Amino acid sequence: MSHNEPLHTLCGEWYANLVEKYGETQQSLKAHMIQYAADGIWMEECTGLVSVSPAERQAIVDYLIQQTYEL
């Protein structure tokens, strides 16, 4: 993404909008941890280098979603 200027700009604008919408909540340590975990899941999907079973992946996703309710 860092080498694709239009994609980089689009993602930067998207993230800036999230920060504007959610403010401090979006900037919390827990929010960053959830984001990094979700990015890792997305990267696995993009590369096809999946390290967990579908059931384990779903459990991770469910856990991350639950954590968003506690921000």
Side-chain angles (χ1 to χ4, degrees):
M1 182 173 65
S2 63
H3 299 294
N4 182 323
E5 187 61 34
L7 182 58
H8 181 79
T9 300
L10 180 65
C11 287
E13 290 171 357
W14 172 79
Y15 188 73
N17 287 332
L18 285 180
V19 171
E20 182 178 326
K21 182 175 180 180
Y22 296 107
E24 290 297 318
T25 301
Q26 184 67 23
Q27 295 299 308
S28 72
L29 178 60
K30 189 172 194 175
H32 283 294
M33 292 172 64
I34 293 167
Q35 177 187 349
Y36 289 145
D39 287 348
I41 292 169
W42 176 77
M43 184 61 71
E44 279 193 341
E45 289 290 319
C46 289
T47 62
L49 301 173
V50 178
S51 62
V52 297
S53 71
E56 290 170 318
R57 180 188 183 281
Q58 189 59 55
I60 293 167
V61 169
D62 292 344
Y63 176 79
L64 292 172
I65 291 170
Q66 180 59 41
Q67 295 306 302
T68 67
Y69 290 105
E70 299 174 12
L71 289 176

